[in-house]
Every structure is written in C-alpha cells, then in structure tokens.
Amino acid sequence: MYLRYFLPVYLLVYILTAFVWRSYLVWKHTGINPVTFKGSDNAHDFVGRVFKLVFVLVVLVIFVYSFLPFAYLYTSPIQWLERTWLRSIGVLLLLLSLVWTAVAQSQMGEAWRIGIDTENRTPLVQKGVFLISRNPIFLGMMTTLLGFFLTIPTALTLLAFVLGVVSIGVQVRLEEEYLVQVHPEAYRDYRQRVRRWL
C-alpha cells in the first residue's frame, strides 16, 4: 500500500533532482540550455523522442497504479512477478539510482547536458564515478527503469525498460562518436581505462 504514495513522490523528486534542478544550475551558471534535443529527423533527435515516450509510459503507469487502482489491470500486470521481495529490490534500486544519478550529474558540473551539445564544447569529465563508468548517468537511468519494472511489473513498465535500455544504448554510441571527434586522444585513452558501464 505504501507504494501508492511512495512512487508518485519518488517520481516527482527524481524529475526535480535529475532534470529540473540540474538544468536550472547549468543554465544559471553558463546561460546555456542543457536540453539539446530538437525536432529534426536525425538519430539523436529520434532517441530524444523515444526518451519522451519512455517517460510518458512510466508516468502513466505510476498515475494509474497510485490514483486509479481500478484501471491498473489495463496496464497488463505480470502477476507472477508481483512479489514483496522483488518490489523491495525495486524500491532499493530506485533509491540507489537516484543518489547515483545525482552524484554523477553533480560531478559533471557545467558539462552536463541532455543529449549531444554540438554548439558548445564541454570538457571530458573523468573524475568521481566517471572513474568506474564512462556513462554513470545512463547507468543510473537504466537502473531506475529496472526499479520501476520490479516495483510495478506490468507490460507497460517492461516496455519502458526495454525501450529505455535500447535507446540509451544508441544514445551512448552516438555520444562516443562525438567525443572521439571532440576529444580524440583523451577520449581514446579514457575508453581504454574505463568500461562503458561498470
């Protein structure tokens, strides 16, 4: 029962922490809008649209689960995964991923962006959690999606998780190509020392 209250509060805190607050800080310190997705038809902007779909799916399921429990069956629950211990693991993953993501974003500082910023060159961040993962924020996002799926195992949260993992995989590879162009030697060295995920 506590999940009906926890999940919407968590989602709000996650959005404020991982997107709104960090975007505001980058904009305030640099004058640059950190959101780089536009409306073009290239791979980068297509991934941005998939991210939006994933976000809508997660918000929809949490809203239905928390505020319209009579409609929860329409999200196609996966009942054999509705176990207390799995939900507890899901909640733990949600909490850990929030802290991990916030720390990674803080360590990126003014270099943090949503997408690839081809107009403003940023430094290659190689400190903190970036010493053990080249993509700690994306790793945190995938862990968040897994946490949502384990907490509310439905066809829609499974779809959000799969779409999220695939689109993050594409985005990471697009960013790697860009970083090789912008920081050729430094990024090649970094890539040899630090794994993509962990």
Side-chain angles (χ1 to χ4, degrees), residues 15 55 64-67 77 82 85 95 117 134 136 139 145 148 164 191:
I15 292 168
F55 177 75
V64 169
Y65 180 82
S66 298
F67 304 110
E82 292 181 339
W85 65 275
L95 295 172
D117 186 354
R134 294 198 317 261
L139 180 62
L145 291 172
F148 279 130
R191 190 167 55 187

mmCIF file with all atom_site columns, all heavy atoms in Angstrom, residues 15 55 64-67 77 82 85 95 117 134 136 139 145 148 164 191:
data_model
loop_
_atom_site.group_PDB
_atom_site.id
_atom_site.type_symbol
_atom_site.label_atom_id
_atom_site.label_alt_id
_atom_site.label_comp_id
_atom_site.label_asym_id
_atom_site.label_entity_id
_atom_site.label_seq_id
_atom_site.pdbx_PDB_ins_code
_atom_site.Cartn_x
_atom_site.Cartn_y
_atom_site.Cartn_z
_atom_site.occupancy
_atom_site.B_iso_or_equiv
_atom_site.pdbx_formal_charge
_atom_site.auth_seq_id
_atom_site.auth_comp_id
_atom_site.auth_asym_id
_atom_site.auth_atom_id
_atom_site.pdbx_PDB_model_num
ATOM 1   N N   . ILE A 1 15  ? 12.368 13.704  -11.001 1.00 0.00 ? 15  ILE A N   1
ATOM 2   C CA  . ILE A 1 15  ? 12.274 14.708  -12.080 1.00 0.00 ? 15  ILE A CA  1
ATOM 3   C C   . ILE A 1 15  ? 12.912 16.024  -11.642 1.00 0.00 ? 15  ILE A C   1
ATOM 4   O O   . ILE A 1 15  ? 13.689 16.630  -12.388 1.00 0.00 ? 15  ILE A O   1
ATOM 5   C CB  . ILE A 1 15  ? 10.810 14.915  -12.499 1.00 0.00 ? 15  ILE A CB  1
ATOM 6   C CG1 . ILE A 1 15  ? 10.276 13.655  -13.193 1.00 0.00 ? 15  ILE A CG1 1
ATOM 7   C CG2 . ILE A 1 15  ? 10.660 16.133  -13.401 1.00 0.00 ? 15  ILE A CG2 1
ATOM 8   C CD1 . ILE A 1 15  ? 8.775  13.650  -13.376 1.00 0.00 ? 15  ILE A CD1 1
ATOM 9   N N   . PHE A 1 55  ? 9.275  8.127   -20.781 1.00 0.00 ? 55  PHE A N   1
ATOM 10  C CA  . PHE A 1 55  ? 8.837  8.956   -19.659 1.00 0.00 ? 55  PHE A CA  1
ATOM 11  C C   . PHE A 1 55  ? 7.310  8.926   -19.516 1.00 0.00 ? 55  PHE A C   1
ATOM 12  O O   . PHE A 1 55  ? 6.780  8.758   -18.417 1.00 0.00 ? 55  PHE A O   1
ATOM 13  C CB  . PHE A 1 55  ? 9.340  10.394  -19.851 1.00 0.00 ? 55  PHE A CB  1
ATOM 14  C CG  . PHE A 1 55  ? 8.877  11.335  -18.789 1.00 0.00 ? 55  PHE A CG  1
ATOM 15  C CD1 . PHE A 1 55  ? 9.437  11.296  -17.525 1.00 0.00 ? 55  PHE A CD1 1
ATOM 16  C CD2 . PHE A 1 55  ? 7.886  12.265  -19.052 1.00 0.00 ? 55  PHE A CD2 1
ATOM 17  C CE1 . PHE A 1 55  ? 9.011  12.168  -16.535 1.00 0.00 ? 55  PHE A CE1 1
ATOM 18  C CE2 . PHE A 1 55  ? 7.449  13.130  -18.075 1.00 0.00 ? 55  PHE A CE2 1
ATOM 19  C CZ  . PHE A 1 55  ? 8.016  13.087  -16.808 1.00 0.00 ? 55  PHE A CZ  1
ATOM 20  N N   . VAL A 1 64  ? -1.762 5.573   -12.819 1.00 0.00 ? 64  VAL A N   1
ATOM 21  C CA  . VAL A 1 64  ? -2.846 4.587   -12.742 1.00 0.00 ? 64  VAL A CA  1
ATOM 22  C C   . VAL A 1 64  ? -2.706 3.757   -11.469 1.00 0.00 ? 64  VAL A C   1
ATOM 23  O O   . VAL A 1 64  ? -3.677 3.560   -10.735 1.00 0.00 ? 64  VAL A O   1
ATOM 24  C CB  . VAL A 1 64  ? -2.859 3.685   -13.997 1.00 0.00 ? 64  VAL A CB  1
ATOM 25  C CG1 . VAL A 1 64  ? -3.790 2.489   -13.804 1.00 0.00 ? 64  VAL A CG1 1
ATOM 26  C CG2 . VAL A 1 64  ? -3.280 4.491   -15.220 1.00 0.00 ? 64  VAL A CG2 1
ATOM 27  N N   . TYR A 1 65  ? -1.501 3.278   -11.191 1.00 0.00 ? 65  TYR A N   1
ATOM 28  C CA  . TYR A 1 65  ? -1.264 2.439   -10.008 1.00 0.00 ? 65  TYR A CA  1
ATOM 29  C C   . TYR A 1 65  ? -1.620 3.184   -8.720  1.00 0.00 ? 65  TYR A C   1
ATOM 30  O O   . TYR A 1 65  ? -2.223 2.615   -7.813  1.00 0.00 ? 65  TYR A O   1
ATOM 31  C CB  . TYR A 1 65  ? 0.195  1.996   -9.973  1.00 0.00 ? 65  TYR A CB  1
ATOM 32  C CG  . TYR A 1 65  ? 0.550  1.135   -8.792  1.00 0.00 ? 65  TYR A CG  1
ATOM 33  C CD1 . TYR A 1 65  ? 0.277  -0.232  -8.798  1.00 0.00 ? 65  TYR A CD1 1
ATOM 34  C CD2 . TYR A 1 65  ? 1.163  1.675   -7.663  1.00 0.00 ? 65  TYR A CD2 1
ATOM 35  C CE1 . TYR A 1 65  ? 0.598  -1.029  -7.716  1.00 0.00 ? 65  TYR A CE1 1
ATOM 36  C CE2 . TYR A 1 65  ? 1.487  0.888   -6.577  1.00 0.00 ? 65  TYR A CE2 1
ATOM 37  C CZ  . TYR A 1 65  ? 1.200  -0.460  -6.610  1.00 0.00 ? 65  TYR A CZ  1
ATOM 38  O OH  . TYR A 1 65  ? 1.525  -1.253  -5.524  1.00 0.00 ? 65  TYR A OH  1
ATOM 39  N N   . SER A 1 66  ? -1.251 4.464   -8.657  1.00 0.00 ? 66  SER A N   1
ATOM 40  C CA  . SER A 1 66  ? -1.421 5.223   -7.418  1.00 0.00 ? 66  SER A CA  1
ATOM 41  C C   . SER A 1 66  ? -2.802 5.848   -7.261  1.00 0.00 ? 66  SER A C   1
ATOM 42  O O   . SER A 1 66  ? -3.325 5.913   -6.150  1.00 0.00 ? 66  SER A O   1
ATOM 43  C CB  . SER A 1 66  ? -0.354 6.322   -7.338  1.00 0.00 ? 66  SER A CB  1
ATOM 44  O OG  . SER A 1 66  ? 0.924  5.756   -7.303  1.00 0.00 ? 66  SER A OG  1
ATOM 45  N N   . PHE A 1 67  ? -3.391 6.312   -8.364  1.00 0.00 ? 67  PHE A N   1
ATOM 46  C CA  . PHE A 1 67  ? -4.609 7.096   -8.248  1.00 0.00 ? 67  PHE A CA  1
ATOM 47  C C   . PHE A 1 67  ? -5.840 6.465   -8.894  1.00 0.00 ? 67  PHE A C   1
ATOM 48  O O   . PHE A 1 67  ? -6.966 6.879   -8.614  1.00 0.00 ? 67  PHE A O   1
ATOM 49  C CB  . PHE A 1 67  ? -4.383 8.492   -8.838  1.00 0.00 ? 67  PHE A CB  1
ATOM 50  C CG  . PHE A 1 67  ? -3.231 9.214   -8.197  1.00 0.00 ? 67  PHE A CG  1
ATOM 51  C CD1 . PHE A 1 67  ? -2.052 9.434   -8.904  1.00 0.00 ? 67  PHE A CD1 1
ATOM 52  C CD2 . PHE A 1 67  ? -3.305 9.639   -6.881  1.00 0.00 ? 67  PHE A CD2 1
ATOM 53  C CE1 . PHE A 1 67  ? -0.984 10.079  -8.315  1.00 0.00 ? 67  PHE A CE1 1
ATOM 54  C CE2 . PHE A 1 67  ? -2.238 10.289  -6.276  1.00 0.00 ? 67  PHE A CE2 1
ATOM 55  C CZ  . PHE A 1 67  ? -1.068 10.506  -6.990  1.00 0.00 ? 67  PHE A CZ  1
ATOM 56  N N   . PRO A 1 77  ? -0.667 -6.196  -15.742 1.00 0.00 ? 77  PRO A N   1
ATOM 57  C CA  . PRO A 1 77  ? 0.271  -6.625  -14.699 1.00 0.00 ? 77  PRO A CA  1
ATOM 58  C C   . PRO A 1 77  ? 0.832  -8.023  -14.985 1.00 0.00 ? 77  PRO A C   1
ATOM 59  O O   . PRO A 1 77  ? 0.126  -8.892  -15.491 1.00 0.00 ? 77  PRO A O   1
ATOM 60  C CB  . PRO A 1 77  ? -0.585 -6.651  -13.428 1.00 0.00 ? 77  PRO A CB  1
ATOM 61  C CG  . PRO A 1 77  ? -1.786 -5.833  -13.735 1.00 0.00 ? 77  PRO A CG  1
ATOM 62  C CD  . PRO A 1 77  ? -2.003 -5.927  -15.217 1.00 0.00 ? 77  PRO A CD  1
ATOM 63  N N   . GLU A 1 82  ? 4.808  -10.157 -9.166  1.00 0.00 ? 82  GLU A N   1
ATOM 64  C CA  . GLU A 1 82  ? 4.318  -9.315  -8.073  1.00 0.00 ? 82  GLU A CA  1
ATOM 65  C C   . GLU A 1 82  ? 4.622  -9.986  -6.732  1.00 0.00 ? 82  GLU A C   1
ATOM 66  O O   . GLU A 1 82  ? 3.746  -10.555 -6.085  1.00 0.00 ? 82  GLU A O   1
ATOM 67  C CB  . GLU A 1 82  ? 2.825  -9.033  -8.244  1.00 0.00 ? 82  GLU A CB  1
ATOM 68  C CG  . GLU A 1 82  ? 2.527  -8.146  -9.427  1.00 0.00 ? 82  GLU A CG  1
ATOM 69  C CD  . GLU A 1 82  ? 1.044  -7.833  -9.595  1.00 0.00 ? 82  GLU A CD  1
ATOM 70  O OE1 . GLU A 1 82  ? 0.192  -8.589  -9.071  1.00 0.00 ? 82  GLU A OE1 1
ATOM 71  O OE2 . GLU A 1 82  ? 0.742  -6.824  -10.247 1.00 0.00 ? 82  GLU A OE2 1
ATOM 72  N N   . TRP A 1 85  ? 9.427  -9.406  -2.146  1.00 0.00 ? 85  TRP A N   1
ATOM 73  C CA  . TRP A 1 85  ? 10.883 -9.286  -2.166  1.00 0.00 ? 85  TRP A CA  1
ATOM 74  C C   . TRP A 1 85  ? 11.376 -8.625  -3.452  1.00 0.00 ? 85  TRP A C   1
ATOM 75  O O   . TRP A 1 85  ? 12.352 -7.872  -3.428  1.00 0.00 ? 85  TRP A O   1
ATOM 76  C CB  . TRP A 1 85  ? 11.552 -10.638 -1.918  1.00 0.00 ? 85  TRP A CB  1
ATOM 77  C CG  . TRP A 1 85  ? 11.321 -11.668 -2.983  1.00 0.00 ? 85  TRP A CG  1
ATOM 78  C CD1 . TRP A 1 85  ? 10.266 -12.517 -3.094  1.00 0.00 ? 85  TRP A CD1 1
ATOM 79  C CD2 . TRP A 1 85  ? 12.178 -11.952 -4.092  1.00 0.00 ? 85  TRP A CD2 1
ATOM 80  N NE1 . TRP A 1 85  ? 10.406 -13.318 -4.202  1.00 0.00 ? 85  TRP A NE1 1
ATOM 81  C CE2 . TRP A 1 85  ? 11.567 -12.999 -4.833  1.00 0.00 ? 85  TRP A CE2 1
ATOM 82  C CE3 . TRP A 1 85  ? 13.393 -11.441 -4.533  1.00 0.00 ? 85  TRP A CE3 1
ATOM 83  C CZ2 . TRP A 1 85  ? 12.144 -13.527 -5.985  1.00 0.00 ? 85  TRP A CZ2 1
ATOM 84  C CZ3 . TRP A 1 85  ? 13.971 -11.969 -5.676  1.00 0.00 ? 85  TRP A CZ3 1
ATOM 85  C CH2 . TRP A 1 85  ? 13.344 -12.997 -6.396  1.00 0.00 ? 85  TRP A CH2 1
ATOM 86  N N   . LEU A 1 95  ? 16.009 3.995   -5.112  1.00 0.00 ? 95  LEU A N   1
ATOM 87  C CA  . LEU A 1 95  ? 16.696 4.917   -4.195  1.00 0.00 ? 95  LEU A CA  1
ATOM 88  C C   . LEU A 1 95  ? 18.180 5.036   -4.539  1.00 0.00 ? 95  LEU A C   1
ATOM 89  O O   . LEU A 1 95  ? 18.728 6.151   -4.580  1.00 0.00 ? 95  LEU A O   1
ATOM 90  C CB  . LEU A 1 95  ? 16.496 4.458   -2.751  1.00 0.00 ? 95  LEU A CB  1
ATOM 91  C CG  . LEU A 1 95  ? 15.049 4.503   -2.247  1.00 0.00 ? 95  LEU A CG  1
ATOM 92  C CD1 . LEU A 1 95  ? 14.940 3.856   -0.876  1.00 0.00 ? 95  LEU A CD1 1
ATOM 93  C CD2 . LEU A 1 95  ? 14.524 5.932   -2.220  1.00 0.00 ? 95  LEU A CD2 1
ATOM 94  N N   . ASP A 1 117 ? 25.566 18.231  -27.225 1.00 0.00 ? 117 ASP A N   1
ATOM 95  C CA  . ASP A 1 117 ? 25.659 19.668  -27.481 1.00 0.00 ? 117 ASP A CA  1
ATOM 96  C C   . ASP A 1 117 ? 26.787 19.922  -28.477 1.00 0.00 ? 117 ASP A C   1
ATOM 97  O O   . ASP A 1 117 ? 27.963 19.976  -28.101 1.00 0.00 ? 117 ASP A O   1
ATOM 98  C CB  . ASP A 1 117 ? 25.910 20.410  -26.171 1.00 0.00 ? 117 ASP A CB  1
ATOM 99  C CG  . ASP A 1 117 ? 25.863 21.913  -26.339 1.00 0.00 ? 117 ASP A CG  1
ATOM 100 O OD1 . ASP A 1 117 ? 25.743 22.396  -27.488 1.00 0.00 ? 117 ASP A OD1 1
ATOM 101 O OD2 . ASP A 1 117 ? 25.945 22.623  -25.316 1.00 0.00 ? 117 ASP A OD2 1
ATOM 102 N N   . ARG A 1 134 ? 31.987 5.040   -17.769 1.00 0.00 ? 134 ARG A N   1
ATOM 103 C CA  . ARG A 1 134 ? 32.004 6.162   -18.716 1.00 0.00 ? 134 ARG A CA  1
ATOM 104 C C   . ARG A 1 134 ? 30.628 6.800   -18.829 1.00 0.00 ? 134 ARG A C   1
ATOM 105 O O   . ARG A 1 134 ? 30.506 7.928   -19.305 1.00 0.00 ? 134 ARG A O   1
ATOM 106 C CB  . ARG A 1 134 ? 32.477 5.684   -20.099 1.00 0.00 ? 134 ARG A CB  1
ATOM 107 C CG  . ARG A 1 134 ? 33.903 5.226   -20.146 1.00 0.00 ? 134 ARG A CG  1
ATOM 108 C CD  . ARG A 1 134 ? 34.474 5.175   -21.548 1.00 0.00 ? 134 ARG A CD  1
ATOM 109 N NE  . ARG A 1 134 ? 33.630 4.616   -22.567 1.00 0.00 ? 134 ARG A NE  1
ATOM 110 C CZ  . ARG A 1 134 ? 33.709 3.368   -23.029 1.00 0.00 ? 134 ARG A CZ  1
ATOM 111 N NH1 . ARG A 1 134 ? 34.604 2.532   -22.515 1.00 0.00 ? 134 ARG A NH1 1
ATOM 112 N NH2 . ARG A 1 134 ? 32.912 2.947   -23.991 1.00 0.00 ? 134 ARG A NH2 1
ATOM 113 N N   . PRO A 1 136 ? 27.855 6.924   -16.187 1.00 0.00 ? 136 PRO A N   1
ATOM 114 C CA  . PRO A 1 136 ? 27.157 6.656   -14.928 1.00 0.00 ? 136 PRO A CA  1
ATOM 115 C C   . PRO A 1 136 ? 25.723 7.192   -14.885 1.00 0.00 ? 136 PRO A C   1
ATOM 116 O O   . PRO A 1 136 ? 24.864 6.581   -14.246 1.00 0.00 ? 136 PRO A O   1
ATOM 117 C CB  . PRO A 1 136 ? 28.044 7.336   -13.876 1.00 0.00 ? 136 PRO A CB  1
ATOM 118 C CG  . PRO A 1 136 ? 28.791 8.382   -14.636 1.00 0.00 ? 136 PRO A CG  1
ATOM 119 C CD  . PRO A 1 136 ? 29.001 7.815   -16.010 1.00 0.00 ? 136 PRO A CD  1
ATOM 120 N N   . LEU A 1 139 ? 23.651 4.747   -16.786 1.00 0.00 ? 139 LEU A N   1
ATOM 121 C CA  . LEU A 1 139 ? 23.573 3.544   -15.955 1.00 0.00 ? 139 LEU A CA  1
ATOM 122 C C   . LEU A 1 139 ? 22.530 3.746   -14.850 1.00 0.00 ? 139 LEU A C   1
ATOM 123 O O   . LEU A 1 139 ? 21.715 2.857   -14.577 1.00 0.00 ? 139 LEU A O   1
ATOM 124 C CB  . LEU A 1 139 ? 24.944 3.226   -15.353 1.00 0.00 ? 139 LEU A CB  1
ATOM 125 C CG  . LEU A 1 139 ? 25.036 1.996   -14.465 1.00 0.00 ? 139 LEU A CG  1
ATOM 126 C CD1 . LEU A 1 139 ? 24.687 0.735   -15.247 1.00 0.00 ? 139 LEU A CD1 1
ATOM 127 C CD2 . LEU A 1 139 ? 26.437 1.890   -13.860 1.00 0.00 ? 139 LEU A CD2 1
ATOM 128 N N   . LEU A 1 145 ? 14.764 2.561   -14.384 1.00 0.00 ? 145 LEU A N   1
ATOM 129 C CA  . LEU A 1 145 ? 13.721 1.877   -15.159 1.00 0.00 ? 145 LEU A CA  1
ATOM 130 C C   . LEU A 1 145 ? 13.546 0.433   -14.695 1.00 0.00 ? 145 LEU A C   1
ATOM 131 O O   . LEU A 1 145 ? 12.414 -0.065  -14.614 1.00 0.00 ? 145 LEU A O   1
ATOM 132 C CB  . LEU A 1 145 ? 14.051 1.928   -16.648 1.00 0.00 ? 145 LEU A CB  1
ATOM 133 C CG  . LEU A 1 145 ? 13.960 3.313   -17.292 1.00 0.00 ? 145 LEU A CG  1
ATOM 134 C CD1 . LEU A 1 145 ? 14.504 3.287   -18.711 1.00 0.00 ? 145 LEU A CD1 1
ATOM 135 C CD2 . LEU A 1 145 ? 12.521 3.829   -17.276 1.00 0.00 ? 145 LEU A CD2 1
ATOM 136 N N   . PHE A 1 148 ? 11.573 0.601   -11.468 1.00 0.00 ? 148 PHE A N   1
ATOM 137 C CA  . PHE A 1 148 ? 10.143 0.781   -11.718 1.00 0.00 ? 148 PHE A CA  1
ATOM 138 C C   . PHE A 1 148 ? 9.498  -0.528  -12.163 1.00 0.00 ? 148 PHE A C   1
ATOM 139 O O   . PHE A 1 148 ? 8.404  -0.874  -11.721 1.00 0.00 ? 148 PHE A O   1
ATOM 140 C CB  . PHE A 1 148 ? 9.893  1.868   -12.776 1.00 0.00 ? 148 PHE A CB  1
ATOM 141 C CG  . PHE A 1 148 ? 9.956  3.260   -12.252 1.00 0.00 ? 148 PHE A CG  1
ATOM 142 C CD1 . PHE A 1 148 ? 10.737 4.220   -12.884 1.00 0.00 ? 148 PHE A CD1 1
ATOM 143 C CD2 . PHE A 1 148 ? 9.231  3.649   -11.128 1.00 0.00 ? 148 PHE A CD2 1
ATOM 144 C CE1 . PHE A 1 148 ? 10.801 5.516   -12.407 1.00 0.00 ? 148 PHE A CE1 1
ATOM 145 C CE2 . PHE A 1 148 ? 9.289  4.948   -10.638 1.00 0.00 ? 148 PHE A CE2 1
ATOM 146 C CZ  . PHE A 1 148 ? 10.073 5.879   -11.278 1.00 0.00 ? 148 PHE A CZ  1
ATOM 147 N N   . GLY A 1 164 ? 13.883 1.958   -23.028 1.00 0.00 ? 164 GLY A N   1
ATOM 148 C CA  . GLY A 1 164 ? 14.895 2.786   -22.383 1.00 0.00 ? 164 GLY A CA  1
ATOM 149 C C   . GLY A 1 164 ? 16.291 2.235   -22.576 1.00 0.00 ? 164 GLY A C   1
ATOM 150 O O   . GLY A 1 164 ? 17.220 2.962   -22.940 1.00 0.00 ? 164 GLY A O   1
ATOM 151 N N   . ARG A 1 191 ? 38.594 5.659   -22.816 1.00 0.00 ? 191 ARG A N   1
ATOM 152 C CA  . ARG A 1 191 ? 37.829 4.469   -23.208 1.00 0.00 ? 191 ARG A CA  1
ATOM 153 C C   . ARG A 1 191 ? 38.626 3.183   -22.931 1.00 0.00 ? 191 ARG A C   1
ATOM 154 O O   . ARG A 1 191 ? 38.048 2.156   -22.611 1.00 0.00 ? 191 ARG A O   1
ATOM 155 C CB  . ARG A 1 191 ? 37.466 4.559   -24.692 1.00 0.00 ? 191 ARG A CB  1
ATOM 156 C CG  . ARG A 1 191 ? 36.481 3.507   -25.147 1.00 0.00 ? 191 ARG A CG  1
ATOM 157 C CD  . ARG A 1 191 ? 35.921 3.808   -26.497 1.00 0.00 ? 191 ARG A CD  1
ATOM 158 N NE  . ARG A 1 191 ? 36.953 3.996   -27.502 1.00 0.00 ? 191 ARG A NE  1
ATOM 159 C CZ  . ARG A 1 191 ? 36.727 4.403   -28.739 1.00 0.00 ? 191 ARG A CZ  1
ATOM 160 N NH1 . ARG A 1 191 ? 35.480 4.658   -29.129 1.00 0.00 ? 191 ARG A NH1 1
ATOM 161 N NH2 . ARG A 1 191 ? 37.694 4.555   -29.601 1.00 0.00 ? 191 ARG A NH2 1
#
